[in-house]
């Protein structure tokens, strides 16, 4: 069954360091997303990406964040200078047709800890 | 903005019983709703979805009911099993947002006792 895959599963980084989280969306999906979930809180939308550009971003997605699709398969989220409050689980997602129909599918997440 | 909320933060049921998890939303423009299951340390797992032109949809052991009049969504799980123990989220997409921009509720922790 096709799935969204994310790496790393867990990363610990020092405050101020750059972090890149990687995702491989389900192949033939065209819409890609990043969401985050701070421990104990709800899942929050960060950004959506279509046709090689950002289609919508939330107020959380400030200048410290960027996304890129460097090749035909990977979709990355970069945090330029991490802050303590960036500690969260980051989920990549893609929209398209798969086993449960035409909807949005989430990866297992990358847990980021900023110390 | 965010409009999805949940009535109850926790629900405990005995194995074999039916579970009902509720969700309220406030945005009348919302036209697509999804229920997700999230196990500890994992990503949201799609359970079932429903569009605003329907009021009921059934899957395997699950049924979603949508009442647009009172802006209420529910997830019914039949014959609940220990493996159903997880946090359940409802999420919505309103017609004015980008496809796939979902607003999540805080979640209901379902615990199934043997």
């Amino acid at each position: 069954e096709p799935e969204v895959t994310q790496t790393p599963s867990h990363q610990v980084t020092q405050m101020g360091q750059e972090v890149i989280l990687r995702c491989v969306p389900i192949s033939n999906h065209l819409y890609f997303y990043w969401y985050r979930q701070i421990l104990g809180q709800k899942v929050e939308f960060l950004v959506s990406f279509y046709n090689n550009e950002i289609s919508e971003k939330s107020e959380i997605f400030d200048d410290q964040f960027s996304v890129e699709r460097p090749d035909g398969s990977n979709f990355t989220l970069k945090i330029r200078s991490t802050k303590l409050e960036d500690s969260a689980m980051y989920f990549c997602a893609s929209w398209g047709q798969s086993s449960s129909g035409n909807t949005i599918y989430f990866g297992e997440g990358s847990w980021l800890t900023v110390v | 903005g965010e409009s999805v909320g949940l009535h109850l933060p926790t629900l405990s049921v005995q194995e074999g019983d039916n579970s009902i998890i509720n969700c309220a939303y406030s945005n009348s423009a919302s036209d697509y709703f999804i229920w997700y299951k999230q196990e500890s340390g994992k990503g949201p797992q799609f359970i079932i979805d429903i569009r605003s032109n329907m009021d009921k949809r059934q899957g395997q052991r699950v049924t979603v009911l949508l009442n647009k009049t009172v802006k209420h969504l529910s997830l019914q799980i039949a014959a609940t099993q220990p493996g159903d123990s997880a946090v359940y989220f409802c999420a919505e997409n309103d017609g004015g947002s980008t496809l796939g921009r979902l607003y999540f509720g805080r979640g209901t922790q379902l615990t199934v006792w043997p």
Side-chain angles (χ1 to χ4, degrees), chain A residues 33 35 37 42 56 103-104, chain B residues 2 32 98-102:
Chain A
Y33 313 86
Y35 283 77
Q37 185 179 29
K42 61 183 74 175
E56 190 171 355
T103 187
I104 183 169
Chain B
E2 172 194 327
Y32 181 56
T98 303
L99 177 70
R101 176 170 187 169
L102 300 177

Side-chain angles (χ1 to χ4, degrees), chain B residues 82-105:
Chain B
D84 294 328
S85 293
V87 177
Y88 289 80
F89 294 95
C90 61
E92 61 161 322
N93 176 247
D94 72 58
S97 294
T98 303
L99 177 70
R101 176 170 187 169
L102 300 177
Y103 297 90
F104 280 79

Side-chain angles (χ1 to χ4, degrees), chain B residues 5 9-10 14 31 54 59 67 97 104-105 110:
Chain B
T10 62
Q14 194 149 25
D31 58 6
M54 301 173 70
N67 185 331
S97 294
F104 280 79
L110 174 65

Side-chain angles (χ1 to χ4, degrees), chain A residues 1-5 23-33 49-52 69 71-75 92-107, chain B residues 46 99:
Chain A
E1 180 179 315
E3 57 182 17
V4 177
T5 57
C23 169
V24 179
I26 295 173
S27 64
N28 78 14
H29 285 192
L30 300 177
Y31 297 84
F32 314 114
Y33 313 86
F49 191 86
Y50 172 71
N51 201 25
N52 282 321
R69 192 150 191 250
D71 53 42
S73 60
N74 291 286
F75 179 51
C92 175
S94 65
W95 185 296
Q97 189 70 27
S98 192
S99 56
S100 296
N102 191 28
T103 187
I104 183 169
Y105 295 86
F106 285 80
Chain B
F46 175 92
L99 177 70

Side-chain angles (χ1 to χ4, degrees), chain A residues 31-76:
Chain A
Y31 297 84
F32 314 114
Y33 313 86
W34 283 100
Y35 283 77
R36 81 170 186 191
Q37 185 179 29
I38 294 171
L39 186 64
Q41 298 189 22
K42 61 183 74 175
V43 178
E44 302 174 288
F45 170 82
L46 292 178
V47 66
S48 58
F49 191 86
Y50 172 71
N51 201 25
N52 282 321
E53 60 183 25
I54 290 173
S55 48
E56 190 171 355
K57 59 184 180 180
S58 71
E59 58 278 3
I60 302 169
F61 194 88
D62 60 22
D63 292 344
Q64 293 299 310
F65 291 88
S66 62
V67 289
E68 192 177 39
R69 192 150 191 250
D71 53 42
S73 60
N74 291 286
F75 179 51
T76 63

